[in-house]
Amino acid sequence: MSWGTETSSLWDGPRDVSRFRLQEVCGWVGELRPTGGCNLLQALKKGLDLGNNELDSLVIVMGSSPDETSDALFDFVQQRMLGRTLQVHVVSYCSNSPQTIGTVKRLAKVTQGRYHIYSASLGVADSSTDVEQLWAEIKAARGLLGDTVALRQGRLRDVAVTVMGQQVDSAELDSLSKSPSFLTPPPIHEAPLTIKPSGVLTVSSDDWLSKHGLKAKRLGLYQVLSPNAYSLLEGFVPILNKTVSSTIHEKAMVQFEWHDGTVKNIHVDIPTLYSYQRRLKAAVAELERRVLWLSSGSRRIWGSLCEQRVVIVADVSVMNSGFSVHIQHSLRVLLEEQLADKHSFNIIAFSSDARTWRERFTPPTPENLQEAWLWVQGLQYSGGRHTLAALRLALEGEIHGGTSPPSDPLTQGVYLFTSGVPDQEKTEVISYVSERCSSLPIRLHVCLFTGEEQTQGQTGGSLPCRATREEAAGVLREMARAGNGHFHWTSETDSAISIETAQQRCKLSCPIAAWLMLLWCTRSGGILESDDISALIGEMERAASYWQKSSMLVDSFTQRLGWMSPEERLYSGNKTLAHKPLVARLRKGQLPPPRPTALSLSRLQMKEGPANERSSSTKAFAWRPSSATAAISTAEPMTGLGRVETKFKQRKPSQVSHSVFYLEDGNIGMVFKSHPKPRSVRKSIPIVVLPKQEEICSTKQWLKKFSIKKQKLDLNKLMSGPECTHHRKLVPSVLKRVAARYCSIFPSVHINGALKHLQLTPGEMKQYLTQTERLLHCYTQRMAWLLSGSRRVFGVVLEKEVCVLIDVSGSMAPYLGDLKSKLASLIWDQLHHNTVRFSVLAFSGGVTVWRPALQEPTEEACGSAVQWVCQLDCHGGTNTLEALQTGCGFGDGVGLYLLSDGKPDSSCSLVLREAETLTAEKHITIHTVSYNCTDSSANDFLKNLAHKTGGRYHRCHNDDTGLISGQLASNLCDGDKPMVLAFQGDDLRRLSEEIDRLKHFRSQAHAFRQILLEKKNPEEA
């Protein structure tokens, strides 16, 4: 039985199986064609009634979501299944819709049946009830084996136990517990290597996409649409005193959002778009082949080795004793498939110490590769995981023949193969890698392999660095980023993974891309994350977005064509339309009556004459076709000359009186007796609206309300109206441009390089000076408020939950006494007065916290914080990164105010990256304060730290109090002179720039008013 909108069945009930009937079914299936919707409810009603309850099995194959609501469908199925022993098997065939997959799983759950999800394009089974049950049993068996191993060692989870006797063979149990992934050596594990050089120069996915990606093949949607994309035209109409835009796109084009956020008018060429979609599909197929190639052979474990000089760093610590077979097999396939094409290589094995296979780089000859394989087989797995020692050996030149890597023109690639985090501090390892790889032509790639979550019983000892797989992946991913390399994560036990997990780990929203991730995990033994493959998946997701947008353009265009018949609309969705011309076909039926042409003189007189004359001659307005055979109905008599109704809003007609007459040549002439009065476009001087009290906000937010532009006091705009333009016209007789005669009436001035006429009166200029003086006084008061109290040192505290980070390193010792009083002022003036929950921490080589949680600003808490601040002393270095990590632990939405006098002890770039990572998901803002710091690089670091996290930068000098007070005192006296003191903090700098701009406008206004007075009355001037 098949179903779409309607259902159809081959027979009316079950039939016995025979060869003839099977051939009949195959022929019936071959004639099926897709049509209509997906009326699953009707199909179930008919299917459950077949055979009068003789059915014992029902198979449902779906390719799309049902048309019915989920509740109605499942309620019906649940009611019909009561009292019946019917086995239901639901199959999702080649569907990437989450709704379809969810319906299949829920339908199987409601009927207590089974489900199966299959992808025909990928050729794999994504998920099924049978596979999930097997995987659950396998995981339970592994857990039982781990508990058994722990029990033999005298401890089960957190409980100590005593084993009275051995019930199983110890040797057999040891052999099972050595490999959590149950990986047994392959038959050729002990055989000599089979060298298989590929002969192909391998490149990274980024380099490959630069030649074979969408942009390289000019398959970007905006590249295709740009020849037929036009910007929306807008223009200012002086008579209307407003800006109008063109409306031609509403009839002939489709509006489309461009990549820069603007809106373009697109002329849709359907054959071109269908040809583009075909080429886009071919490009996606090539990307899929690249993904499958990267997921095969040794590349699924190591990725693609791109450099010519390769160092393999293998982890042989005691934590990997259970993975010895896996490590040896991984190194074997690497030696056989990828190293034979390289210039030279070396291998480093590390546990508590690091040791090399050869002291120098060695060419990858068959003899050397075989000798390296024998050395790998003899490695012993013991000790800790001293990753830093191995990286020093690989990066600092001991294996380069006594020379540093920069002397070699070939780029060196270091491939770290490990299963967990280093024993050393994360920041120490990452800082070292970043420093070495940023100055040398070396890339560090990290290959992480994981199995089941390990316990102490599985490793036979205590773990020095206890971390989950996700935490270990995060640390090693940062190491790869710091080393300018790629991160590759595989697992021998996560071969099955759901689509939701694939989307989460790859951070993809395209279901097709998640299916490809599922393909890696099922075919290649579990690639959980790969930078090379993620780049290709991102390109495929971009192609899917282009496909969707191009389809949207086609749909918008076809919907706009209202003259198309339903058959043509159905045909327009077919992709073969790109091979056929687009022909416009009119609807069948009678033609509409034509619009009337210009009226004759007699009809004009009848229209303007008395009503009785108009009624007596209505027959003259009836129009009939000249041909008696034309299928056009007679037009209705016209009672007046009205406007043709359109879909556009009609404007109010102007009050214009005129008379109409005929000319000798037959045309119509008109004499206008009155004209509409033109609207004035003259701009008046507005009255400024000033705040009654100072607002607690940043200068950027404050200027959004009270800037010169918002108060409409921009002198350039007031002088840039259409009547102020200086016109010059070319006179052919004298061959030069001559100004208009009225140009000598008005004074002319230069504004922004253009000559303008002054049409403002002296009174208006005086009004402008009065309003700008009020605004300048408001700006000066705001500046004095920002420089008063604790705001001079820390700026304005904006958030309701803050943490103050104080630098108490050795360099802050000369200023600590004055800083303590400023901190006390901050606590009482801003935090206590504005009811801000807060905490304080001091940092030097370490971090000291006043309270581990944010406190309410009560008098007791503020007094305790002031006493704690007064006991601080200066010593040690500047561990800014640890202070930021501690401050971000106070919760989401906290504002961090960092006060320091210099750069951190660690790398500045590392601190900036960590700060972005810490504040990205918690919505934390970091504000920085530079305290008596004259180092420009340190100030730049603090400024970048604040701006990268959405905060503000503030700079404070301890000896500028007198200079600032004198500057503000003379500001009102010398009103139109620019400010001498240059502020570098964000709030003060923005406000001082606005003050200087306003003073410049005032000086111009004074000069313009003097010119107007001289023009009006030279003697009085």
Side-chain angles (χ1 to χ4, degrees), residues 311-476:
V311 179
I312 307 299
V313 183
D315 180 5
V316 293
S317 60
V318 67
M319 281 76 76
N320 295 333
S321 58
F323 295 99
S324 59
V325 176
H326 172 69
I327 295 175
Q328 292 177 7
H329 177 71
S330 301
L331 290 170
R332 178 185 176 92
V333 295
L334 179 68
L335 293 170
E336 289 179 340
E337 297 180 7
Q338 296 199 58
L339 287 181
D341 298 326
K342 304 304 176 184
H343 177 272
S344 56
F345 78 104
N346 204 342
I347 304 177
I348 298 176
F350 72 96
S351 53
S352 297
D353 57 352
R355 52 194 180 276
T356 61
W357 166 59
R358 290 286 180 87
E359 296 181 358
R360 303 288 183 267
F361 274 98
T362 305
T365 61
E367 295 78 12
N368 291 335
L369 292 175
Q370 185 64 37
E371 184 179 349
W373 167 239
L374 296 176
W375 182 80
V376 167
Q377 288 181 301
L379 292 175
Q380 300 296 324
Y381 295 81
S382 62
R385 187 183 285 127
H386 202 319
T387 309
L388 186 58
L391 293 178
R392 291 184 185 277
L393 185 59
L395 298 177
E396 289 190 356
E398 287 82 353
I399 62 175
H400 302 274
T403 61
S404 299
S407 63
D408 199 314
L410 298 177
T411 303
Q412 175 182 328
V414 179
Y415 289 81
L416 175 63
F417 192 62
T418 182
S419 64
V421 297
D423 293 346
Q424 297 74 34
E425 289 291 336
K426 177 186 74 171
T427 55
E428 181 182 1
V429 179
I430 294 177
S431 299
Y432 171 76
V433 171
S434 177
E435 180 182 357
R436 296 297 299 175
C437 294
S438 61
S439 58
L440 300 176
I442 300 178
R443 298 172 186 165
L444 173 64
H445 308 276
V446 179
C447 304
L448 171 64
F449 67 92
T450 56
E452 292 290 337
E453 293 288 348
Q454 295 181 357
T455 62
Q456 293 185 7
Q458 288 172 305
T459 59
S462 61
L463 291 175
C465 294
R466 180 63 178 172
T468 63
R469 297 192 301 176
E470 286 72 16
E471 293 173 348
V475 174
L476 297 175

Side-chain angles (χ1 to χ4, degrees), residues 239-279:
I239 194 65
L240 301 177
N241 193 25
K242 66 178 181 179
T243 302
V244 298
S245 59
S246 61
T247 59
I248 187 63
H249 66 276
E250 298 179 1
K251 301 179 181 179
M253 297 183 180
V254 177
Q255 286 194 331
F256 183 75
E257 184 177 358
W258 213 244
H259 58 84
D260 57 356
T262 60
V263 177
K264 300 282 189 180
N265 297 327
I266 305 296
H267 172 70
V268 180
D269 188 356
I270 292 192
T272 301
L273 285 181
Y274 278 130
S275 175
Y276 166 71
Q277 288 184 341
R278 286 198 307 273
R279 292 187 291 131

